[in-house]
Amino acid sequence: MSRAASNGADDTAHDGDGTGPHPGATSRGHPHSSHWGAFEAALRPDGGLDVTPDPRDPHPAALLRNVPAALGPRDRVLTPYVRRGWLEHGPGPDPARGTDGHVPVPWDEVIPLLARELDRVRTTHGNRAIFGGSYGWGSAGRFHHAQSQIHRFLNCLGGYTRSVNSYSLGAAHPLLRHVVGDDAPISNPTPLSVLAEHTGLFLCFGGMPAKNTQVNAGGISRHRAAGLLSAARDRGARFVLVSPLRDDLAAELDAEWLAPVPGTDTALMLALCHVLIEEGRYDADFCRRHCEGFDTFAGHVLGRDGSAAKTPHWAEEICGIPAARIAALARELTEHRTMISLSWSLQRAHRGEQPLWAGIALACLLGQIGLPGGGFGHGYGATGGTGAGTLPYKLPTLDQGTNPVPDFIPVARIADLLLHPGEEFEYDGGRHTYPDIRLVHWAGGNPFHHHQDLGRLRRAFARPDTVVVHEPHWTATARHADFVLPATTTLERDDIGGAKQDTALIAMHRVADPVGEARDDYRILSDLATELGTGHAFTQGRDARGWLEHLYESWRRGLPPEYAPEEDFKTFWSAGRVPLRALREQRILYAGFRADPEGAALPTPSGRIELYSATIASYGYDDCPGHPAWLPPEPRDADDADDPGAYPLYLIANNPPTRLHSQLDQGELSTASKVRGREPVRMHPGDAAARGVRDGDVVRIRSTVGSCLAGAVLSDVVRPGVVQLSTGAWFDPSAPEVATCVHGNPNALTRDIGTSRLAQGCTGQLGRVEVERHDGPLPAVRAHDLSH
C-alpha cells in the first residue's frame, strides 16, 4: 500500500459494467472522493492500491493512508451469511447474537428468505415494528448513500420507525431551535475566511482540533481550516484554549491554555458573564433589542433568584481556573473583536445543552453577534467544512420518499428502544412511546462504535426477532446480526461526491471490482423490493448508472443559470469533476438580524435570541431549566455512591486523529497508532506514576459500566486527573474474563444516558474511570480476525 501513485501504476480498473478501462482515468489513476478528501487511485499489479491526494488540495488529509485497506480482503464479508441459530430456530429474541456462528447462504436464497421475514414482520406487527437504522458517514457519494437507500426502500414498503438528530449534535439541534430558531450556527456559521481577517481574540471552548478538520461529510477538495487559523495568528489574533487537552488547538497558534475540570465549562462561562454584568461591561443595548429574557438570566447569574452568585470565586471552586484569571479574561473579551467558539464536544456530555446555551449568552453580553469576526460559532474545528462557506443551492440527492410511520427515537436511544418496548420517554416537551421493534434493518453505520455502554447494547441487540446488516467488513455490528449482506465499499462502485461547503463535484469512478460476492446497497435493496412487489417504486426502472445520470442532469436543469454547470453528464464523468460556483465565504452569521431585529427576526417565539425560553421552562425539566444554568455534569451512579473515590479520573472519549470514527481501523495510519495492538490512552505522567504505569504498558481501564484494555501513552498535554481514549477501536469482547473490550473501545466504559429530557442526546464524551497496569496474561485482539 502506498500514499502516492507511481508512473507505472495499473490504470485498468473497470467501468460501471466491469468491461474495460474507465473514462477519465489519468496517469495517477481514477478520480474518487471520500469524507477525508478527493484523490486518485490505481490498482497495482500486485493487487495493492496506490492513492494520490488531489494536487489542488493545500493540505491533504493523512487519513487517506487508510484507504487501501478498504479493499481488504482482511475482515471483508465475502458472501451472504445467516446466523446459525436463526436458520435452525427461526426468528425470535436470542442472546446468542454476537457469539453464534454464521452460515454462508447464496444470494438467490438469502434474498427470498429475507423478503419473507420482512413481509412477516410488516404484516403481523405493522411497519412501526421495523427500525431503519443507518448513519450518514458510509460514503461521500450522493447516490450510494446508505441512509438514503435504506430509507427509500423501507418507505416503499410502508415506512419504519426512524431516528432523529445525530450522535455528534444530539443536544445542539433541539436546543438551538428554541434559542435561535434553527441550526444556522452549525450549518451556516461565519466563514473562517472572515475570522482570519477580523477576529482579534478567539476564546475556544473545547478547542478547534486540527485532526477533525481532515473530515467533512460528503467530501472536501480543499483543506483550508489550518491555513486560515494560522493566517489569523500571523495577523496578530490571540487564541485562548479552554480544554483539558492542550493539543485541541494547533501548537503554532501559540494559544494560552486554560485547563478546567472536564464538564465544567458552563460554570466558567457564567462567571465570565457575572463579571461583565457586575462591572457594567456588557452591551446593554444589544441585550435589550436582540435578546429575550436578559433580566431573568442576569438575575440568575447575580444570584437574585436565590441561587449562588456566579462569581469568579464560585467558579474557581468548580472548574479549577483561578478567579483572578477568570475576571481578567472577561475584561479582555470586551477589548477585542471576539469570537466565542463552542466545540461540538461540549454538548456530548450529561446536561450538554447548558454549555452551548451559556456560550451563546456570553456572546450576547459582548454584543458582537452579527459583526465581522465577532459573535459565536458552534463547531469550528469539528469538520473541514465548518466555516468553509456554503453553497446557495442543493446538490444532487436521492429522494427518500415519505415515511408514513410517525414513531421515532432520538438516535442515541437505540438500546432503550430495543430493551423497553411500550415504555414512555420524554423528548423536547413531548411524551412518546417506544414501539415494539421486531426487525432491525441496518445499512451504513456501526452502532457498536457510536453507542455507549456496549455491554447493554449487546443485550439490546439480542431482543428483536431479526437483525439485518449490510456491511463490507466483519464489524461488531455484523457479528451481532442474523443476516449479514456483503456490501461494496465506495472504491467498488461509481458515484457522485460533493458537499455544500466545497467548490467541486467529483465523479467517483469505480477503482476495483467488488471483493468476493459484495453488492452495492442499491442492488441488494432492488432485489429485495422486486421480491416484495415494490421493485419499480424503488428503482423507477433505472440501474445505478442510470440514476447517476438522472440525478446529475435533473439537478443541473433545476439550478439558476448562473450556478448550473455547462458540462453534461458524459462530459462531467470524463473530466472527473465540475466546479461548484458561488461558495459564500464572506457571509456573517446574524448580520441581518443585528441590523434589523424586527425586519429580520429569528424563528423563535420572541423573534430574538432567547436567553430565557418560556417554552423550555414550561416543560418543567429539572435537567434543563428555562435559562443557562450550572448543573453538575456527572451525577453519581447508585453502584458507586458509597465509594466516590472509586473512579477518580475523568475520561475524555473524543474523535481519533487516525481514522474517521471506526472506519478503516485496520488501515495503515490507524494501525500504526496502536500500542501493542491496542488503542492508545493518554494520561498525565503524574497520574501514571501514582499507578505504577509506564509508557507503553497495557492498562486496564474500568468504570461502573465496564472495562477495556489500552496502551498507555504518557503526555503532559493531558490535564492531571484526565485520561484520553479516542473512539473507534473495533469493539472486541472476545475475552470477557479480562475486560469488556480488549481492544480499547471507550464505549465499553461510558454510560448510556441522555443529555437531558429536552434533547436525549449522546453523552459519550465524558466519563469517570480508574486505570491500573495490566500484569496478567494478555489476550489477543480479535476485532479484525475473520474467525467470527
Side-chain angles (χ1 to χ4, degrees):
M1 294 178 288
S2 171
R3 295 176 60 188
S6 67
N7 291 333
D10 181 4
D11 296 333
T12 58
H14 299 296
D15 65 24
D17 298 319
T19 57
H22 221 316
T26 72
S27 61
R28 293 184 300 270
H30 302 281
H32 210 76
S33 188
S34 67
H35 292 305
W36 40 93
F39 61 92
E40 294 189 343
L43 288 173
R44 296 200 306 259
D46 64 2
L49 185 72
D50 285 328
V51 173
T52 304
D54 189 329
R56 288 159 283 200
D57 190 342
H59 194 167
L63 293 182
L64 290 173
R65 290 169 55 190
N66 287 332
V67 169
L71 293 179
R74 185 185 181 192
D75 55 43
R76 284 295 297 262
V77 183
L78 299 177
T79 191
Y81 284 86
V82 180
R83 187 173 61 83
R84 187 180 305 278
W86 197 98
L87 281 175
E88 293 175 352
H89 307 296
D94 193 341
R97 285 194 187 107
T99 58
D100 200 2
H102 289 79
V103 177
V105 178
W107 277 113
D108 61 358
E109 295 180 20
V110 81
I111 290 294
L113 184 64
L114 177 53
R116 288 195 295 273
E117 175 61 1
L118 279 161
D119 196 50
R120 180 192 72 84
V121 171
R122 67 171 179 161
T123 301
T124 305
H125 303 286
N127 283 71
R128 69 193 301 260
I130 300 172
F131 180 74
S134 187
Y135 215 61
W137 290 101
S139 166
R142 308 293 302 180
F143 174 67
H144 291 292
H145 178 244
Q147 188 178 78
S148 297
Q149 292 283 345
I150 186 64
H151 290 174
R152 179 183 175 87
F153 166 75
L154 291 174
N155 284 336
C156 289
L157 291 185
Y160 61 98
T161 293
R162 72 192 194 281
S163 63
V164 298
N165 304 325
S166 70
Y167 280 89
S168 295
L169 289 159
H173 284 296
L175 180 74
L176 289 173
R177 286 197 294 268
H178 291 286
V179 177
V180 295
D182 57 26
D183 68 352
I186 299 169
S187 62
N188 205 6
T190 301
L192 287 170
S193 54
V194 175
L195 307 191
E197 184 177 354
H198 295 284
T199 301
L201 176 60
F202 291 82
L203 179 56
C204 305
F205 289 95
M208 301 181 190
K211 62 182 175 62
N212 296 345
T213 63
Q214 296 184 81
V215 172
N216 189 55
I220 182 169
S221 63
R222 303 179 304 161
H223 291 85
R224 301 178 60 219
L228 289 170
L229 291 176
S230 292
R233 179 69 184 89
D234 293 344
R235 181 181 49 78
R238 183 165 158 253
F239 291 80
V240 177
L241 169 63
V242 182
S243 170
L245 306 176
R246 188 169 61 198
D247 56 359
D248 271 343
L249 270 179
E252 57 265 26
L253 299 179
D254 194 26
E256 176 188 1
W257 182 31
L258 302 179
V261 173
T264 63
D265 302 81
T266 301
L268 174 57
M269 295 170 181
L270 294 179
L272 293 169
C273 290
H274 186 282
V275 175
L276 297 178
I277 297 170
E278 184 73 14
E279 297 184 2
R281 295 174 180 266
Y282 72 99
D283 189 327
D285 183 65
F286 185 89
C287 291
R288 177 180 59 82
R289 296 188 63 217
H290 297 81
C291 302
E292 177 73 11
F294 169 76
D295 290 341
T296 300
F297 173 68
H300 176 70
V301 169
L302 298 175
R304 293 173 181 167
D305 60 354
S307 65
K310 312 307 180 291
T311 66
H313 288 285
W314 167 85
E316 179 179 358
E317 293 298 313
I318 296 169
C319 69
I321 305 299
R325 183 67 197 102
I326 296 173
L329 178 60
R331 297 168 192 137
E332 291 165 17
L333 297 178
T334 66
E335 298 168 359
H336 303 273
R337 183 62 56 83
T338 298
M339 169 54 62
I340 306 297
S341 175
L342 308 166
S343 74
W344 292 357
S345 62
L346 298 174
Q347 49 84 63
R348 291 186 69 251
H350 194 229
R351 297 168 181 173
E353 297 84 0
Q354 300 310 311
L356 175 56
W357 202 353
I360 295 172
L362 176 60
C364 287
L365 266 60
L366 293 174
Q368 298 181 18
I369 292 173
L371 294 177
F376 73 96
H378 185 37
Y380 293 123
T383 70
T386 306
T390 54
L391 296 169
Y393 49 85
K394 295 181 178 179
L395 295 178
T397 302
L398 179 66
D399 182 16
Q400 296 184 17
T402 301
N403 184 1
V405 175
D407 298 87
F408 73 93
I409 60 164
V411 67
R413 304 271 53 81
I414 179 65
D416 288 350
L417 167 72
L418 299 179
L419 289 169
H420 301 298
E423 289 192 10
E424 288 190 339
F425 68 95
E426 293 182 86
Y427 170 76
D428 200 8
R431 296 186 69 86
H432 308 273
T433 302
Y434 292 123
D436 186 359
I437 298 298
R438 298 305 182 99
L439 185 145
V440 174
H441 198 155
W442 215 290
N446 181 5
F448 280 87
H449 156 69
H450 281 106
H451 202 68
Q452 285 64 62
D453 192 347
L454 295 181
R456 184 172 187 257
L457 185 63
R458 297 188 80 190
R459 296 192 296 275
F461 261 61
R463 193 195 167 278
D465 290 350
T466 301
V467 176
V468 184
V469 170
H470 301 199
E471 252 298 339
H473 304 281
W474 280 107
T475 63
T477 302
R479 298 183 194 216
H480 284 78
D482 300 307
F483 287 77
V484 185
L485 306 181
T488 54
T489 68
T490 178
L491 297 169
E492 299 154 62
R493 58 196 183 222
D494 293 329
D495 212 336
I496 298 171
K500 280 184 66 67
Q501 307 85 18
D502 203 29
T503 58
L505 194 72
I506 307 294
M508 298 169 60
H509 290 189
R510 190 166 98 175
V511 176
D513 289 332
V515 174
E517 297 179 31
R519 297 180 177 180
D520 61 56
D521 295 312
Y522 180 67
R523 182 177 176 189
I524 295 170
L525 296 172
S526 296
D527 289 346
L528 279 171
T530 299
E531 191 76 21
L532 289 160
T534 59
H536 185 76
F538 179 72
T539 68
Q540 300 284 295
R542 300 185 185 97
D543 61 11
R545 177 58 71 93
W547 269 109
L548 294 183
E549 184 167 357
H550 169 74
L551 291 177
Y552 179 87
E553 292 294 357
S554 59
W555 164 72
R556 188 168 71 105
R557 288 193 303 269
L559 288 177
E562 63 270 25
Y563 302 144
E566 298 175 0
E567 297 88 347
D568 62 11
F569 179 78
K570 182 178 180 180
T571 305
F572 156 65
W573 197 254
S574 178
R577 69 166 62 197
V578 294
L580 295 172
R581 300 185 177 94
L583 186 72
R584 293 177 176 173
E585 299 183 82
Q586 295 300 313
R587 179 184 177 276
I588 300 167
L589 181 64
Y590 300 131
F593 170 65
R594 179 185 184 86
D596 184 4
E598 286 77 32
L602 300 181
T604 59
S606 65
R608 302 189 288 179
I609 300 173
E610 303 225 342
L611 302 184
Y612 171 80
S613 168
T615 301
I616 294 178
S618 72
Y619 299 159
Y621 296 155
D622 59 1
D623 53 5
C624 189
H627 56 75
W630 161 249
L631 303 171
E634 186 74 13
R636 283 295 173 188
D637 295 84
D639 56 357
D640 76 332
D642 295 332
D643 187 7
Y647 303 99
L649 300 173
Y650 286 89
L651 168 70
I652 295 179
N654 59 358
N655 281 330
T658 59
R659 59 185 171 265
L660 167 58
H661 299 321
S662 63
Q663 288 190 34
L664 301 178
D665 184 37
Q666 73 277 39
E668 175 192 340
L669 187 67
S670 180
T671 300
S673 73
K674 307 286 184 177
V675 176
R676 298 176 68 180
R678 291 158 225 278
E679 192 67 16
V681 57
R682 297 194 299 179
M683 59 191 309
H684 192 274
D687 294 324
R691 291 160 175 80
V693 172
R694 296 164 299 189
D695 198 73
D697 283 347
V698 173
V699 296
R700 182 173 182 264
I701 313 171
R702 54 182 176 83
S703 72
T704 60
V705 167
S707 60
C708 72
L709 300 184
V713 175
L714 276 52
S715 174
D716 63 3
V717 305
V718 179
R719 183 192 195 275
V722 170
V723 296
Q724 178 264 316
L725 179 65
S726 291
T727 61
W730 284 16
F731 178 53
D732 185 348
S734 62
E737 70 282 359
V738 176
T740 310
C741 175
V742 300
H743 190 201
N745 189 317
N747 283 330
L749 309 167
T750 50
R751 293 182 302 149
D752 185 10
I753 59 172
T755 53
S756 77
R757 287 178 285 170
L758 179 79
Q760 296 284 6
C762 167
T763 59
Q765 184 78 15
L766 295 180
R768 296 296 293 268
V769 299
E770 180 57 292
V771 175
E772 58 201 19
R773 193 176 67 216
H774 179 74
D775 291 324
L778 197 57
V781 175
R782 302 188 182 278
H784 301 285
D785 185 348
L786 282 175
S787 59
H788 61 279

